[in-house]
Amino acid sequence: MGKQKNLILPIQGMTCANCVSTVERNVKKLNGVQSVAVNLSSERAAVSYDESNTGLDEIINRIQRAGYDVALAEGEFILKNSPDALDSERIAKDLLKVSGVRDVNINISTSKVSIRYIPTLVSQLEIRAQLKRLGFESVILGDQAIDQEELVRRKEIK
């Protein structure tokens, strides 16, 4: 038996109790998933699973196949020192290994790193810390205290 992992995913598109049971039923079908508890009011799914049998990508795919989605936040980080092409590849490759980071785009000419991530799994502070470990400090623009999941929810409501 592999390592037990617990995570909370923000789910988009649920409107009723039937939606909750649809998400729960579909995620439970995955091999290695021990439990799934979906809360309609908080729009979150708590999933407990065995990492050796399934992973985050499979869980997200199953949620999407059921007709729902996982809310993603977007963060933009301006690096103090400009990366070159090799640095960009290394940064993107390393950031994509961070649980919850789904997409990384780096603009070398502007030194901007745009990241789409799951806000319940990783925060902008953790992403900044990872960038710093890689040797690239980011400029702080005053967005550290912003609740990214709330921004995603507001955008969904509009």
Side-chain angles (χ1 to χ4, degrees), residues 2 16 29 35 49 52 65 69 72 95 109 122 127 131 150 152 154:
C16 62
K29 289 179 182 177
S35 67
Y49 66 98
S52 64
R65 283 181 42 204
D69 208 352
L72 297 178
L95 287 174
S109 63
V122 65
I127 293 170
L131 285 167
E150 182 182 344
V152 171
R154 286 184 185 171

PDB file of all heavy atoms in Angstrom, residues 2 16 29 35 49 52 65 69 72 95 109 122 127 131 150 152 154:
ATOM      1  N   GLY A   2       0.524   2.222  -0.832  1.00  0.00           N
ATOM      2  CA  GLY A   2       1.297   3.447  -0.966  1.00  0.00           C
ATOM      3  C   GLY A   2       0.953   4.470   0.087  1.00  0.00           C
ATOM      4  O   GLY A   2       0.265   4.191   1.072  1.00  0.00           O
ATOM      5  N   CYS A  16     -26.678  21.745  -7.107  1.00  0.00           N
ATOM      6  CA  CYS A  16     -27.672  21.030  -6.296  1.00  0.00           C
ATOM      7  C   CYS A  16     -27.064  19.781  -5.660  1.00  0.00           C
ATOM      8  O   CYS A  16     -25.924  19.414  -5.929  1.00  0.00           O
ATOM      9  CB  CYS A  16     -28.866  20.636  -7.159  1.00  0.00           C
ATOM     10  SG  CYS A  16     -28.424  19.502  -8.498  1.00  0.00           S
ATOM     11  N   LYS A  29     -15.047   6.055  -8.066  1.00  0.00           N
ATOM     12  CA  LYS A  29     -14.787   4.971  -9.013  1.00  0.00           C
ATOM     13  C   LYS A  29     -13.290   4.758  -9.265  1.00  0.00           C
ATOM     14  O   LYS A  29     -12.892   3.713  -9.760  1.00  0.00           O
ATOM     15  CB  LYS A  29     -15.482   5.241 -10.351  1.00  0.00           C
ATOM     16  CG  LYS A  29     -16.975   5.102 -10.298  1.00  0.00           C
ATOM     17  CD  LYS A  29     -17.587   5.404 -11.659  1.00  0.00           C
ATOM     18  CE  LYS A  29     -19.095   5.323 -11.612  1.00  0.00           C
ATOM     19  NZ  LYS A  29     -19.694   5.679 -12.906  1.00  0.00           N
ATOM     20  N   SER A  35     -12.035   7.811   0.199  1.00  0.00           N
ATOM     21  CA  SER A  35     -13.249   8.556   0.540  1.00  0.00           C
ATOM     22  C   SER A  35     -13.305   9.881  -0.218  1.00  0.00           C
ATOM     23  O   SER A  35     -12.281  10.447  -0.579  1.00  0.00           O
ATOM     24  CB  SER A  35     -13.312   8.830   2.051  1.00  0.00           C
ATOM     25  OG  SER A  35     -12.293   9.713   2.431  1.00  0.00           O
ATOM     26  N   TYR A  49      -6.968   9.471  -0.747  1.00  0.00           N
ATOM     27  CA  TYR A  49      -6.611   8.436  -1.714  1.00  0.00           C
ATOM     28  C   TYR A  49      -5.202   7.905  -1.492  1.00  0.00           C
ATOM     29  O   TYR A  49      -4.400   8.502  -0.789  1.00  0.00           O
ATOM     30  CB  TYR A  49      -6.755   8.974  -3.139  1.00  0.00           C
ATOM     31  CG  TYR A  49      -5.793  10.083  -3.501  1.00  0.00           C
ATOM     32  CD1 TYR A  49      -4.625   9.818  -4.202  1.00  0.00           C
ATOM     33  CD2 TYR A  49      -6.061  11.397  -3.148  1.00  0.00           C
ATOM     34  CE1 TYR A  49      -3.739  10.837  -4.532  1.00  0.00           C
ATOM     35  CE2 TYR A  49      -5.193  12.414  -3.480  1.00  0.00           C
ATOM     36  CZ  TYR A  49      -4.028  12.138  -4.164  1.00  0.00           C
ATOM     37  OH  TYR A  49      -3.156  13.134  -4.487  1.00  0.00           O
ATOM     38  N   SER A  52      -0.173   5.612  -4.638  1.00  0.00           N
ATOM     39  CA  SER A  52       0.397   4.597  -5.520  1.00  0.00           C
ATOM     40  C   SER A  52      -0.610   4.086  -6.553  1.00  0.00           C
ATOM     41  O   SER A  52      -0.227   3.482  -7.549  1.00  0.00           O
ATOM     42  CB  SER A  52       0.957   3.419  -4.711  1.00  0.00           C
ATOM     43  OG  SER A  52      -0.083   2.763  -4.021  1.00  0.00           O
ATOM     44  N   ARG A  65     -14.819  14.873 -16.425  1.00  0.00           N
ATOM     45  CA  ARG A  65     -15.649  13.942 -17.191  1.00  0.00           C
ATOM     46  C   ARG A  65     -17.077  13.898 -16.664  1.00  0.00           C
ATOM     47  O   ARG A  65     -18.019  13.597 -17.409  1.00  0.00           O
ATOM     48  CB  ARG A  65     -15.048  12.537 -17.173  1.00  0.00           C
ATOM     49  CG  ARG A  65     -13.878  12.408 -18.125  1.00  0.00           C
ATOM     50  CD  ARG A  65     -13.256  11.046 -18.171  1.00  0.00           C
ATOM     51  NE  ARG A  65     -14.198   9.953 -18.185  1.00  0.00           N
ATOM     52  CZ  ARG A  65     -13.908   8.725 -17.775  1.00  0.00           C
ATOM     53  NH1 ARG A  65     -12.711   8.437 -17.318  1.00  0.00           N
ATOM     54  NH2 ARG A  65     -14.810   7.778 -17.831  1.00  0.00           N
ATOM     55  N   ASP A  69     -15.715  21.197 -12.931  1.00  0.00           N
ATOM     56  CA  ASP A  69     -14.309  21.563 -13.092  1.00  0.00           C
ATOM     57  C   ASP A  69     -13.710  21.910 -11.739  1.00  0.00           C
ATOM     58  O   ASP A  69     -14.417  22.123 -10.764  1.00  0.00           O
ATOM     59  CB  ASP A  69     -14.171  22.743 -14.055  1.00  0.00           C
ATOM     60  CG  ASP A  69     -12.835  22.743 -14.784  1.00  0.00           C
ATOM     61  OD1 ASP A  69     -11.956  21.927 -14.453  1.00  0.00           O
ATOM     62  OD2 ASP A  69     -12.668  23.572 -15.684  1.00  0.00           O
ATOM     63  N   LEU A  72      -9.332  27.179 -10.796  1.00  0.00           N
ATOM     64  CA  LEU A  72      -7.918  27.535 -10.859  1.00  0.00           C
ATOM     65  C   LEU A  72      -7.759  29.031 -10.641  1.00  0.00           C
ATOM     66  O   LEU A  72      -8.534  29.833 -11.162  1.00  0.00           O
ATOM     67  CB  LEU A  72      -7.323  27.166 -12.223  1.00  0.00           C
ATOM     68  CG  LEU A  72      -7.295  25.696 -12.599  1.00  0.00           C
ATOM     69  CD1 LEU A  72      -6.721  25.521 -13.997  1.00  0.00           C
ATOM     70  CD2 LEU A  72      -6.499  24.887 -11.595  1.00  0.00           C
ATOM     71  N   LEU A  95       8.452  24.191 -11.332  1.00  0.00           N
ATOM     72  CA  LEU A  95       7.173  24.641 -10.790  1.00  0.00           C
ATOM     73  C   LEU A  95       6.046  23.659 -11.085  1.00  0.00           C
ATOM     74  O   LEU A  95       5.133  23.492 -10.289  1.00  0.00           O
ATOM     75  CB  LEU A  95       6.817  26.028 -11.327  1.00  0.00           C
ATOM     76  CG  LEU A  95       7.622  27.196 -10.755  1.00  0.00           C
ATOM     77  CD1 LEU A  95       7.266  28.491 -11.469  1.00  0.00           C
ATOM     78  CD2 LEU A  95       7.393  27.334  -9.255  1.00  0.00           C
ATOM     79  N   SER A 109      11.229  38.289 -22.122  1.00  0.00           N
ATOM     80  CA  SER A 109      11.450  39.720 -22.369  1.00  0.00           C
ATOM     81  C   SER A 109      10.893  40.613 -21.258  1.00  0.00           C
ATOM     82  O   SER A 109      11.430  41.686 -21.009  1.00  0.00           O
ATOM     83  CB  SER A 109      10.874  40.128 -23.719  1.00  0.00           C
ATOM     84  OG  SER A 109       9.489  39.934 -23.735  1.00  0.00           O
ATOM     85  N   VAL A 122      -1.888  25.019  -3.170  1.00  0.00           N
ATOM     86  CA  VAL A 122      -0.652  25.803  -3.145  1.00  0.00           C
ATOM     87  C   VAL A 122      -1.017  27.286  -3.120  1.00  0.00           C
ATOM     88  O   VAL A 122      -2.026  27.687  -3.689  1.00  0.00           O
ATOM     89  CB  VAL A 122       0.265  25.453  -4.349  1.00  0.00           C
ATOM     90  CG1 VAL A 122      -0.364  25.844  -5.661  1.00  0.00           C
ATOM     91  CG2 VAL A 122       1.649  26.054  -4.205  1.00  0.00           C
ATOM     92  N   ILE A 127       4.610  29.548  -3.952  1.00  0.00           N
ATOM     93  CA  ILE A 127       5.184  29.657  -5.297  1.00  0.00           C
ATOM     94  C   ILE A 127       6.372  30.621  -5.274  1.00  0.00           C
ATOM     95  O   ILE A 127       7.421  30.335  -5.857  1.00  0.00           O
ATOM     96  CB  ILE A 127       4.108  30.110  -6.318  1.00  0.00           C
ATOM     97  CG1 ILE A 127       3.057  29.009  -6.476  1.00  0.00           C
ATOM     98  CG2 ILE A 127       4.751  30.454  -7.661  1.00  0.00           C
ATOM     99  CD1 ILE A 127       1.818  29.424  -7.255  1.00  0.00           C
ATOM    100  N   LEU A 131      10.252  29.813  -6.266  1.00  0.00           N
ATOM    101  CA  LEU A 131      11.034  30.631  -7.196  1.00  0.00           C
ATOM    102  C   LEU A 131      12.347  31.071  -6.543  1.00  0.00           C
ATOM    103  O   LEU A 131      13.403  31.049  -7.181  1.00  0.00           O
ATOM    104  CB  LEU A 131      10.237  31.853  -7.649  1.00  0.00           C
ATOM    105  CG  LEU A 131       9.127  31.601  -8.661  1.00  0.00           C
ATOM    106  CD1 LEU A 131       8.223  32.817  -8.784  1.00  0.00           C
ATOM    107  CD2 LEU A 131       9.704  31.214 -10.007  1.00  0.00           C
ATOM    108  N   GLU A 150     -11.360  33.043  -3.713  1.00  0.00           N
ATOM    109  CA  GLU A 150     -12.519  33.938  -3.736  1.00  0.00           C
ATOM    110  C   GLU A 150     -12.621  34.668  -5.075  1.00  0.00           C
ATOM    111  O   GLU A 150     -13.703  34.834  -5.626  1.00  0.00           O
ATOM    112  CB  GLU A 150     -12.430  34.947  -2.597  1.00  0.00           C
ATOM    113  CG  GLU A 150     -13.633  35.868  -2.535  1.00  0.00           C
ATOM    114  CD  GLU A 150     -13.535  36.909  -1.426  1.00  0.00           C
ATOM    115  OE1 GLU A 150     -12.706  36.756  -0.525  1.00  0.00           O
ATOM    116  OE2 GLU A 150     -14.297  37.882  -1.502  1.00  0.00           O
ATOM    117  N   VAL A 152     -11.619  33.556  -7.969  1.00  0.00           N
ATOM    118  CA  VAL A 152     -12.095  32.574  -8.946  1.00  0.00           C
ATOM    119  C   VAL A 152     -13.605  32.395  -8.809  1.00  0.00           C
ATOM    120  O   VAL A 152     -14.330  32.330  -9.796  1.00  0.00           O
ATOM    121  CB  VAL A 152     -11.353  31.225  -8.783  1.00  0.00           C
ATOM    122  CG1 VAL A 152     -11.984  30.150  -9.638  1.00  0.00           C
ATOM    123  CG2 VAL A 152      -9.883  31.383  -9.133  1.00  0.00           C
ATOM    124  N   ARG A 154     -15.821  34.546  -7.603  1.00  0.00           N
ATOM    125  CA  ARG A 154     -16.509  35.749  -8.090  1.00  0.00           C
ATOM    126  C   ARG A 154     -16.584  35.754  -9.610  1.00  0.00           C
ATOM    127  O   ARG A 154     -17.605  36.128 -10.196  1.00  0.00           O
ATOM    128  CB  ARG A 154     -15.807  37.005  -7.607  1.00  0.00           C
ATOM    129  CG  ARG A 154     -16.039  37.293  -6.150  1.00  0.00           C
ATOM    130  CD  ARG A 154     -15.397  38.586  -5.743  1.00  0.00           C
ATOM    131  NE  ARG A 154     -15.520  38.784  -4.312  1.00  0.00           N
ATOM    132  CZ  ARG A 154     -14.910  39.745  -3.670  1.00  0.00           C
ATOM    133  NH1 ARG A 154     -14.130  40.587  -4.314  1.00  0.00           N
ATOM    134  NH2 ARG A 154     -15.063  39.856  -2.369  1.00  0.00           N
TER     135      ARG A 154
END
